[in-house]
């Protein structure tokens, strides 16, 4: 009887995707779901929704909601994490507004940069508590992390705790479909063969071929160049940053242009404001998205929670496939975030990398990928520097480590002086208050 504990079950829409997928996988027999969230209303919403999905799918699934985290974890075989510490108000607002005072603009701020650093620093202490509880009540469970910043959170657990951990994202799954749809190559998606590796949100499309083994990169680059030069019309205004990086460095990146604009030092620059319009960079995108989601929730709550006829269609998330593989020994390939145990030799061994992983009853088996093209590894390393220093800061509780992480961030370093970076970090620490532990 596999018991899945879902941490952050108040993320109702995401709980629907991951747990709804498990419910619609009849091979996962005698399924038991334990939900936990600090918001009792959202917790109960998710319980009602999942019970209706199970009923309409003809599945008998034991679904229980727990205010007590340890009780939810007790006896779990799989633990899914989808928490966001601090929420939009106050923490996301702080992550954007204080850097903006210093002239530092961001788009998403949940993975790297000042926003990503501070999101990690306020989330890691909570995950340490999860790990301590798991060591007591479910020490052999697999921890499946979906929360951002993915590499920092997953890497921290893999480095400093004993719990089995894999990080999952869906940027790999959507990479080819989105790229091909934008460039009017969508008919090739079903037969396309591809290879992706790197780090989360900055993994590289290393190979892309059609069903006969023909390299599709020349055509992709030809169309992308024509679009950027104004010689071809595609529905791709949202992806100009990745096209530019692909043409400059040779390879396409899995995660969106709005993300990668703030992972690098080249696109959001006070000295070159024209780049924002040229590359269609949506500054302050995540706060706008949060406000819209909050506004939309009342209508969506009725559709999801009050709808007794609600049904679910399987999503692109990997969690249900992993659980089915481990429960029933059905080999399956996913892309996961794991520690770099020589998988990509030209990235640091203590980095968290995103690579293909084979799954069976014995668990997760990451695949050796070999060296990345050196320019790709070089760009990854600029992000890994920030990730490792942030993890070090979370462990040491030293302000100096936070300063160093921020000073190594590509976008931050390209815009601000060392003194401004330190002052900004101090102001961020004060503003986050009790959402973070004290730093000396």
């Amino acid at each position: 009887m596999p018991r899945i504990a879902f941490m952050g079950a108040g993320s109702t829409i995401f709980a629907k995707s991951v747990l709804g997928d498990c419910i619609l996988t009849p091979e996962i027999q005698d399924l038991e779901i334990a939900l936990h969230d600090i918001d009792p209303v959202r917790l109960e919403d998710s319980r009602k929704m999942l019970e209706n999905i199970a009923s309409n799918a003809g599945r008998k699934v034991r679904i229980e909601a727990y205010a007590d985290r340890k009780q939810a974890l007790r006896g779990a075989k799989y633990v899914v994490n989808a928490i966001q510490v601090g929420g939009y108000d106050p923490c996301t607002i702080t992550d954007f507004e204080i850097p903006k005072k210093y002239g530092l603009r961001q788009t998403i701020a949940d993975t790297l940069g000042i926003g990503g650093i501070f999101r990690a620093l306020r989330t890691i202490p909570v995950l340490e508590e999860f790990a301590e509880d798991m060591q007591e009540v479910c020490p052999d469970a697999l921890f499946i992390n979906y929360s951002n910043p993915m590499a920092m959170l997953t890497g921290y657990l893999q480095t400093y705790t004993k719990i089995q951990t894999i990080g999952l994202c869906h940027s790999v799954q959507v990479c080819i479909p989105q790229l091909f749809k934008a460039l009017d190559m969508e008919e090739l998606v079903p037969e396309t063969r591809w290879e992706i590796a790197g780090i989360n949100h900055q993994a590289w499309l290393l190979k892309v071929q059609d069903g006969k083994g023909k390299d599709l990169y020349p055509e992709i680059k030809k169309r992308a160049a024509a679009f950027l030069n104004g010689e071809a019309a595609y529905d791709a205004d949202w992806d100009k940053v990745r096209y530019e990086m692909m043409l400059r460095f040779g390879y396409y990146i899995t995660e969106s242009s709005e993300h990668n604009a703030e992972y690098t030092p080249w696109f959001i620059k006070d000295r070159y404001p024209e780049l924002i319009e040229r590359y269609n960079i949506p500054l302050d995108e995540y706060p706008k998205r949060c406000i819209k989601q909050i506004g939309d929730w009342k209508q969506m709550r009725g559709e999801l929670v009050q709808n007794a006829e609600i049904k679910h269609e399987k999503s692109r998330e990997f969690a249900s496939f992993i659980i089915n593989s481990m429960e029933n020994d059905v080999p399956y390939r996913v892309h996961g975030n794991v520690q770099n145990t020589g998988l990509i030799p030209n990235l640091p061994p203590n980095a968290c990398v995103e690579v293909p992983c084979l799954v069976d009853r014995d668990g997760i088996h990451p695949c050796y990928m070999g060296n990345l093209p050196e320019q790709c590894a070089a760009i990854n390393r600029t992000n890994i520097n920030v990730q490792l220093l942030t993890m070090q800061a979370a462990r040491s509780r030293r302000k100096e480590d936070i300063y160093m992480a921020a000073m190594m961030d590509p976008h931050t370093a390209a815009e601000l002086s060392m003194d401004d970076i330190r002052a900004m970090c101090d102001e961020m620490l004060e503003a986050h208050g009790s959402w973070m532990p004290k730093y000396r």
Side-chain angles (χ1 to χ4, degrees), residues 171-172 175-176 179 194-208 217 241-255 260 263-264 266 335 344 346-347 353-356 369 371-384:
S171 57
V172 171
C175 177
I176 291 295
L179 172 63
W194 47 264
E195 183 178 294
I196 290 174
I199 61 173
N200 180 244
H201 282 196
Q202 207 177 63
W204 302 92
L205 180 60
L206 300 172
K207 295 180 182 179
V208 55
Y217 251 133
V241 168
R242 284 196 289 181
Y243 291 173
E244 190 68 68
M245 290 185 67
M246 174 178 64
L247 295 174
R248 302 276 186 171
F249 293 100
Y251 297 88
Y252 189 70
I253 297 176
T254 50
E255 189 48 77
N260 275 281
Y263 298 163
T264 60
W266 307 303
H335 271 72
I344 303 178
N346 60 345
L347 294 183
V353 295
E354 192 167 72
V355 296
M369 296 303 295
N371 286 336
L372 297 178
E374 194 55 43
Q375 70 273 23
C376 299
I379 293 173
N380 283 169
R381 287 192 291 261
T382 67
N383 283 221
I384 292 169

Side-chain angles (χ1 to χ4, degrees), residues 306-325:
Q306 309 301 332
N307 180 10
E309 304 301 319
I310 187 171
K311 295 183 180 180
H312 177 69
E313 294 183 4
K314 289 201 76 169
S315 76
R316 59 199 174 193
E317 306 299 345
F318 281 136
S320 66
F321 295 98
I322 289 176
I323 294 169
N324 181 45
S325 293

